[in-house]
Amino acid sequence: MKKLLFMGWLLLSSNLFAQKAIEIKVWPDGAPNTNEMTQQVKDGPLYVEEPVLTVYPAKSGNGMAIVACPGGAYWTLAMGHEGHDMADWFNSQGITYAVLRYRMPNGHNEVPLSDSQQALRIMRQHAQEWNVKKLGIMGSSAGGHLASTTATHFTDAETRPDFQILFYPVITMDPAYTHRGSHDNLLGKNPSKELEQKYSNELQVTPQTPPAFILHSSDDTAVPVANSVNYYTALVKNKVPASLHTYPVGGHGWGYRDSFPYKRQWTGELEKWLREINK
């Protein structure tokens, strides 16, 4: 009986904050570039026919919005626990939340970034409708690389996020401690040093880089925690407000899963940080 009441409360509380999702084509008139994929190839990267931004507007928006980039090594997309599953939680805080289904690079490193930048433009075009005053970029694993690339490679005010949230992010393309799959899928197996440096986002931080909230597990064997530590260090060096939270265990890829032993800690810490930067 108690379990049924609890489940009913969860459903009720979710309905209080969640609105019907809105799907928006990122490039309704066609993208300005191509990854040269026209269909799903067996044993090939995920074919995204059209990148889509799924928006969950908050019923009582507090002025904040977030675009999430799920991970998947620039090969596939973990759209659930690193994307859509967090919608109700962010909405409950008054935050409008959007999940980006972006194209894989497939040898064209500029493609994912162009999708994430256009997603930010779309959110700002709807700023009045969704009460968007502060817009952040978020990403997990390779999606964290895309998010941190968005935060360090912006070209104007429209494409600069106001803050960034990074879950166990791939930050560097330095072969010494990158995630090799993400490196190869984004840049190829034998890229130039110049290209590796361009997408090593710890090297691209400036005083104009937006504030960051970073999460990582110390025992992550897929993406070494040095990715987050070195990015945090670069942010601090450039006097960019940054918060780094490392947990002793948890491995890689936990996202919003209940199985992560520090879920209560990271959700509480992120919720507090979001309140503080929205003052």
Side-chain angles (χ1 to χ4, degrees):
M1 183 65 181
K2 286 183 178 179
K3 186 175 181 181
L4 287 173
L5 287 172
F6 178 68
M7 292 303 293
W9 177 83
L10 282 178
L11 289 170
L12 177 62
S13 62
S14 294
N15 290 331
L16 288 173
F17 306 113
Q19 294 200 80
K20 186 176 180 182
I22 302 166
E23 288 196 352
I24 301 174
K25 292 180 180 180
V26 173
W27 303 106
D29 300 321
N33 50 32
T34 179
N35 61 4
E36 297 184 11
M37 294 185 70
T38 57
Q39 62 182 356
Q40 183 62 55
V41 177
K42 185 179 179 182
D43 300 325
L46 176 69
Y47 173 53
V48 176
E49 184 177 4
E50 284 189 304
V52 172
L53 188 66
T54 304
V55 183
Y56 299 87
K59 280 189 176 178
S60 300
N62 66 2
M64 301 188 87
I66 292 169
V67 172
C69 304
Y74 285 121
W75 187 262
T76 187
L77 292 171
M79 298 295 290
H81 66 288
E82 293 178 354
H84 297 290
D85 294 353
M86 300 190 198
D88 284 345
W89 183 71
F90 280 112
N91 280 172
S92 73
Q93 299 170 64
I95 298 170
T96 289
Y97 179 70
V99 182
L100 176 62
R101 183 176 174 86
Y102 57 92
R103 292 170 294 161
M104 299 298 100
N106 191 43
H108 300 268
N109 58 74
E110 73 284 356
V111 164
L113 178 60
S114 67
D115 288 354
S116 66
Q117 289 180 331
Q118 183 65 4
L120 295 182
R121 293 188 190 100
I122 290 169
M123 296 298 290
R124 289 192 160 116
Q125 288 164 8
H126 292 267
Q128 188 170 358
E129 178 185 352
W130 297 327
N131 186 30
V132 178
K133 297 174 182 175
K134 284 191 176 181
L135 176 61
I137 192 78
M138 185 178 93
S140 305
S141 194
H145 184 267
L146 178 55
S148 62
T149 304
T150 309
T152 53
H153 291 66
F154 55 86
T155 56
D156 53 29
E158 270 199 318
T159 57
R160 180 190 181 274
D162 296 309
F163 59 92
Q164 53 183 315
I165 302 168
L166 308 176
F167 287 76
Y168 38 87
V170 179
I171 293 292
T172 194
M173 290 290 116
D174 183 337
Y177 66 108
T178 188
H179 176 251
R180 195 73 209 193
S182 299
H183 170 284
D184 293 356
N185 293 332
L186 182 66
L187 305 182
K189 293 187 177 180
N190 297 295
S192 67
K193 289 297 179 186
E194 290 75 18
L195 195 59
E196 286 181 334
Q197 289 176 358
K198 177 181 177 181
Y199 285 100
S200 290
N201 294 327
E202 77 280 9
L203 304 178
Q204 306 304 326
V205 174
T206 72
Q208 287 70 50
T209 301
F213 186 96
I214 310 166
L215 311 99
H216 219 124
S217 292
S218 299
D219 66 346
D220 190 335
T221 57
V223 178
V225 72
N227 281 261
S228 287
V229 172
N230 290 345
Y231 191 57
Y232 170 79
T233 302
L235 291 164
V236 171
K237 184 178 179 181
N238 283 272
K239 295 182 169 52
V240 176
S243 182
L244 173 63
H245 299 266
T246 59
Y247 304 102
V249 296
H252 186 76
W254 28 270
Y256 199 63
R257 286 175 173 151
D258 292 336
S259 57
F260 180 56
Y262 294 94
K263 182 176 182 179
R264 182 172 62 84
Q265 282 76 12
W266 80 253
T267 51
E269 288 156 351
L270 178 53
E271 186 175 344
K272 181 180 179 182
W273 184 80
L274 287 166
R275 286 199 305 269
E276 288 174 346
I277 67 169
N278 200 34
K279 289 178 180 177

